[in-house]
Amino acid sequence: MSVLELSAVLAIAFVIAAPAIVQFPATPVPNGGRAARRNFLRFAAAAALSGVVAGIATALVPANPTPIIIAAANAALVGGPAYFWAGMRQLRENAMAPGWVVAGAVAVTFVTSATVSAVIGGPTDGFVLRLILVAVGCAGVAVEAFRLPARTIAPFRLIGAIFAIYAAYSAIRTVLFFAVGERAPTFQALFSPLTASVLSILLITALCVAVWWSDRALETRARQIEYIIAALRSDIASHGAVTVYVVEVPDLALIRAAFGGPAAVAVDRAASMALHELLPDAAHRGRVGRHVVAVSGDQRIENLDDVVKAATARAVPNLDYREAIEVRVTRYALRSEEELAAVWPDAAPPGTRDLKTSPAGGAIA
């Protein structure tokens, strides 16, 4: 085994160990919102590390088309989008399981690719496998980015669009490779290594901006979570109980698709204003698709959903559609910090809470 091959093996071992590195130092954080932000950024760093390893290994393949170098390039390319997918999963549940699944996939890809390359031989086989793996990995990130709750945050929609573009490009590149061959004028014009490199640079630059933007968005949400939890704790301590209403407008995504972003924002703002007018003295925090209203004591507001539904209906310009707007209202009566932590895991003491998503809380909900 040459020095280059040994270095490739060590680099892939480091990529495979990324989930263990993500977990340390495992200093407790104040709430699940910050935990989601921390783990997302760490997995994004693991994806960047995989990308660096993939770039170096891919550059070495033409001059050193050995099975280990080819396998290192393929496995690292799997780790790039796959670790980003694991980071996106942190927005729904703060668990390391997706990261270890990715680590296993990287290891399997490395062993399988080395075996296949040793049997078939030649860098072209690694090239085709890389195209397929990149398309699948980027498609997975795009799907996760457009699922709830990530799609309610603008920077994650941008991330989804970036990965969707590259997934489609890689898929078309793979099809044309088999259909016309890599030496065909069409392939060389649109899908040559130079064209792919330029597109990659542009998309990676946009991705860096999107990750920075998403970091700011997650930090804002973490502060909002801290604010509402502090308000709930204060009400429980002062009044012995607090009633929490979680109000959701699930149709916002459909409204955005049918009428555009401004219509969805108008509906969400209408719901927020209706809650404020109905409960001007309540501790209130609004966010896209879900609002929280906290009322001191154990109270029941019977017409809350009707008021919100009427307000959102007036905000939609289409009469036929606005009658179908759905409003979900969930009520929680909390009398202790233990009940608060059971409903909203972010309120539990650091290191003791269950970080899985709950109806009223979760990673970034």
Side-chain angles (χ1 to χ4, degrees), residues 137-152:
C138 291
V141 177
V143 169
E144 193 66 35
F146 288 114
R147 295 180 63 181
L148 290 174
R151 74 184 185 197
T152 64

Side-chain angles (χ1 to χ4, degrees), residues 190-351:
L190 299 176
F191 301 100
S192 66
L194 178 60
T195 305
S197 298
V198 172
L199 178 63
S200 298
I201 291 172
L202 294 176
L203 291 179
I204 289 173
T205 302
L207 183 61
C208 290
V209 174
V211 170
W212 173 83
W213 187 12
S214 63
D215 173 41
R216 296 297 87 203
L218 291 179
E219 173 64 18
T220 299
R221 293 216 170 192
R223 292 181 180 180
Q224 291 175 337
I225 290 173
E226 289 177 344
Y227 173 81
I228 193 64
I229 287 175
L232 296 177
R233 282 177 173 160
S234 177
D235 281 349
I236 291 174
S238 301
H239 305 283
V242 61
T243 301
V244 179
Y245 286 93
V246 179
V247 181
E248 299 180 74
V249 186
D251 288 341
L252 276 182
L254 296 177
I255 295 171
R256 182 180 292 108
F259 304 107
V265 171
V267 169
D268 190 66
R269 185 181 293 115
S272 176
M273 293 302 297
L275 293 171
H276 182 74
E277 292 174 3
L278 185 63
L279 301 163
D281 298 326
H284 169 235
R285 177 170 70 87
R287 54 243 173 104
V288 174
R290 180 177 293 175
H291 302 269
V292 175
V293 181
V295 184
S296 301
D298 187 352
Q299 301 184 31
R300 183 175 295 275
I301 306 172
E302 299 295 343
N303 66 333
L304 183 61
D305 54 344
D306 294 333
V307 172
V308 176
K309 179 173 263 189
T312 55
R314 290 192 297 269
V316 179
N318 189 303
L319 178 63
D320 295 333
Y321 183 81
R322 73 186 190 186
E323 295 173 351
I325 292 181
E326 179 183 3
V327 176
R328 297 176 187 170
V329 179
T330 307
R331 177 182 178 274
Y332 302 93
L334 310 176
R335 298 175 180 81
S336 65
E337 288 205 19
E338 289 74 17
E339 292 183 357
L340 174 60
V343 171
W344 208 303
D346 302 326

Side-chain angles (χ1 to χ4, degrees), residues 30-68:
N31 60 58
R34 293 194 185 279
R37 170 178 174 265
R38 179 187 66 181
N39 291 340
F40 166 73
L41 292 176
R42 289 183 177 183
F43 273 117
L49 170 65
S50 297
V52 171
V53 173
I56 295 174
T58 301
L60 292 174
V61 166
N64 302 273
T66 63
I68 290 180

